[in-house]
Amino acid sequence: ETGVTQTPRHLVMGMTNKKSLKCEQHLGHNAMYWYKQSAKKPLELMFVYSLEERVENNSVPSRFSPECPNSSHLFLHLHTLQPEDSALYLCASSQVGRGSEKLFFGSGTQLSVL
Amino acid sequence: AQTVTQSQPEMSVQEAETVTLSCTYDTSESDYYLFWYKQPPSRQMILVIRQEAYKQQNATENRFSVNFQKAAKSFSLKISDSQLGDAAMYFCAYLTSGSRLTFGEGTQLTVNP
């Protein structure tokens, strides 16, 4: 247990559905991240929130919409997804500051888009 | 842009033996962090070891140690006395000052009994 909890563990959705992924960290960190892990590809950074403000959006399609209501919670809202969006979505958190840089990851949500 | 390269898609080692996983990276920055993460079948991404670029001394965590060659931009992971529980996908990663973690493609490690 790393202190980062993701729900659900598995999600199957149709292309017209709307769903949300949830991430909660219990580590008192001030930054949270969404990563996408597809088969045969390196992990891709999607979004970064630092002090609850989005500081990076790596050209992610608008069908992915992040939300960070406070420093402990991070959501990824999904709508009108495509089959190629099927992947493992990993949440991570860190304490940004000199000497403290390390990311702690959740167990991920395995998403299948039909 | 920073890139991280792991040239070994798969590696295997006998239980109790030593194995070294390779990683190279490309950057123009002088201050950064390097990591090895382990991802077992449970999918949990677990931090194995961390190296600060401004430190010359190689990081060590029990059976895990690194060979950090800053000039060569090389960061290999050595696992000593390999155990069955070490079997996993291992990712090398580079962290910039802006907390952007860039991963390599991973090395699948098999430990044979």
Side-chain angles (χ1 to χ4, degrees), chain A residues 1-2 4 8-10 31 33 35 37 40-45 48 55-56 88 90 94 96-110, chain B residues 4 10 31-35 37 39 41-47 50-52 54 61 89 91 93-106:
Chain A
E1 178 59 48
T2 63
V4 181
R9 289 296 303 273
H10 302 271
Y33 311 78
Y35 279 86
Q37 186 178 20
K40 310 291 185 184
K41 293 176 68 175
L43 277 78
E44 303 170 60
L45 177 62
V48 180
V55 296
E56 182 145 345
L88 179 68
L90 289 163
S94 73
V96 177
R98 184 66 174 178
S100 306
E101 285 82 353
K102 60 178 79 171
L103 270 66
F104 293 84
F105 285 83
S107 297
T109 295
Q110 185 66 55
Chain B
V4 179
E10 298 176 347
D31 193 13
Y32 49 88
Y33 298 83
L34 295 163
F35 302 83
Y37 279 89
Q39 188 179 39
S42 67
R43 305 177 321 195
Q44 182 82 60
M45 194 73 78
I46 301 166
L47 177 64
R50 169 176 173 264
Q51 175 79 43
E52 294 135 322
Y54 61 88
E61 287 286 343
M89 181 72 87
F91 292 96
Y94 168 101
L95 184 70
T96 68
S97 58
S99 294
R100 279 70 166 141
L101 195 62
T102 301
F103 286 85
E105 295 177 345

Side-chain angles (χ1 to χ4, degrees), chain B residues 13-17 38 40-41 63 79-88 90 108-113:
Chain B
V13 63
Q14 290 297 125
E15 195 175 3
E17 297 294 309
K38 164 186 175 181
R63 298 182 295 107
I79 306 174
S80 304
D81 185 25
S82 297
Q83 300 175 359
L84 295 177
D86 294 333
Y90 284 81
Q108 181 67 53
L109 178 66
T110 301
V111 181
N112 300 310

Side-chain angles (χ1 to χ4, degrees), chain B residues 6-19:
Chain B
Q6 293 179 247
S7 58
Q8 306 152 314
E10 298 176 347
M11 290 284 285
S12 63
V13 63
Q14 290 297 125
E15 195 175 3
E17 297 294 309
T18 295
V19 65

Side-chain angles (χ1 to χ4, degrees), chain A residues 11-13 64 78 81 85-89 109-113:
Chain A
L11 179 62
V12 179
M13 59 187 290
F64 295 91
L78 316 171
L81 293 192
D85 297 324
S86 298
L88 179 68
Y89 288 84
T109 295
Q110 185 66 55
L111 174 67
S112 297
V113 181

Side-chain angles (χ1 to χ4, degrees), chain A residues 19-45:
Chain A
K19 297 286 184 183
S20 296
L21 310 185
K22 180 182 176 182
C23 177
E24 184 175 0
Q25 60 97 359
H26 312 276
L27 301 169
H29 288 163
N30 59 12
M32 297 187 76
Y33 311 78
W34 281 115
Y35 279 86
K36 176 183 179 182
Q37 186 178 20
S38 304
K40 310 291 185 184
K41 293 176 68 175
L43 277 78
E44 303 170 60
L45 177 62

